[in-house]
Amino acid sequence: MIIRSRRFRSALALFAMVAPGFLRRFVHTRLLGYRIDPTAVIGRSFIDVDRFEMGPGAAIGHLNVIRGLEDLWMAEASRIAHLNWINSVRRDKGFFEDVDRHLALIMGYNTSITIMHFIDCCAKVELVSRSVLAGYWTQVMTHTFDYRTARQDARPITIGERSIITTRCTLLPGVKIAERSIVAAGSVVHGQCRKPGFLYAGVPAKPVRELDFSQLFLTDELTIR
């Protein structure tokens, strides 16, 4: 029996957060309708989304709040660690009128979100395979106020394959990080980091140095652990 009432689903999500592991899985799969692989693991986190799928070996740690999304997809071996706030404003709230948006977090194969990040999913946020949101306190902001039109706007953010976003970065709406890139600590990314294989740094972030593709993280052989 899948519960459809928004209020009851939120209450069940809160109950699942404090319930024992076997009961938590029952609530998530049987009552909330989430598709969770038998080898996937969910800690004591609040997860209140419309649709959720976890692949083999995927994991969510403790004390995360994930709410308001239409879709949460976690591919094989993807991970969300602890104390992250992943949020969206639902369509029925009356914001973002006439804005085409997908309220989603899409995590590709072997991607990782570490600890204490804020991820705004008012538009889609996608981590392509083996990319990492590393360190602490990065803000991923998909929505903004457009002063020219006096309206809220939302645009998707993509972090390219094998790219690393380090500590205390800010990613602004519409950002696309090229594959095999590193964004240095404290950087503010506005627009698109188009050149793959570069270190981006500064406010706003600019390519400052080409990376050595022989470094372990940038090679095709590495699996993130």
Side-chain angles (χ1 to χ4, degrees), residues 6-184:
R6 182 82 68 197
R7 182 174 297 178
F8 285 140
R9 288 179 68 87
S10 296
L12 285 168
L14 184 60
F15 171 74
M17 182 177 180
V18 299
F22 73 94
L23 192 52
R24 186 180 311 139
R25 183 174 290 269
F26 175 84
V27 171
H28 283 155
T29 57
R30 299 297 182 87
L31 301 182
L32 296 177
Y34 300 156
R35 300 175 61 184
I36 300 173
D37 187 87
T39 63
V41 176
I42 300 177
R44 296 188 180 278
S45 290
F46 178 82
I47 305 171
D48 181 16
V49 300
D50 294 347
R51 295 173 294 272
F52 177 24
E53 184 168 346
M54 281 183 97
I60 295 177
H62 300 305
L63 300 180
N64 297 286
V65 175
I66 307 174
R67 60 180 298 275
L69 282 65
E70 294 171 338
D71 292 301
L72 173 59
W73 304 120
M74 297 182 66
E76 179 181 355
S78 58
R79 291 170 303 283
I80 299 173
H82 311 296
L83 295 166
N84 296 287
W85 184 281
I86 301 170
N87 186 69
S88 181
V89 177
R90 294 188 184 275
R91 296 181 188 275
D92 58 7
K93 300 299 182 181
F95 295 95
F96 307 105
E97 293 183 5
D98 303 321
V99 177
D100 183 19
R101 61 194 185 103
H102 182 193
L103 288 61
L105 173 62
I106 310 297
M107 298 185 65
Y109 170 73
N110 200 215
T111 53
S112 181
I113 295 171
T114 58
I115 300 174
M116 293 191 292
H117 300 295
F118 176 82
I119 303 174
D120 163 36
C121 292
C122 288
K124 182 176 71 172
V125 174
E126 181 174 8
L127 281 71
V128 183
S129 62
R130 293 186 171 91
S131 61
V132 181
L133 192 60
Y136 303 86
W137 296 118
T138 284
Q139 295 187 72
V140 180
M141 297 294 298
T142 61
H143 85 275
T144 186
F145 178 75
D146 189 338
Y147 69 91
R148 295 164 298 185
T149 60
R151 295 170 65 90
Q152 295 277 351
D153 191 18
R155 286 172 285 158
I157 289 175
T158 302
I159 301 173
E161 182 178 1
R162 292 188 181 278
S163 291
I164 309 173
I165 311 299
T166 60
T167 292
R168 288 186 179 273
C169 293
T170 301
L171 275 57
L172 297 177
V175 159
K176 294 183 179 179
I177 307 295
E179 64 181 15
R180 301 172 191 256
S181 300
I182 297 175
V183 178

Side-chain angles (χ1 to χ4, degrees), residues 181-183 187 192-202 204-211:
S181 300
I182 297 175
V183 178
S187 297
Q192 300 185 11
C193 298
R194 297 178 180 273
K195 295 181 178 180
F198 272 81
L199 171 68
Y200 290 85
K206 297 180 180 180
V208 296
R209 190 181 74 219
E210 192 167 4
L211 298 172

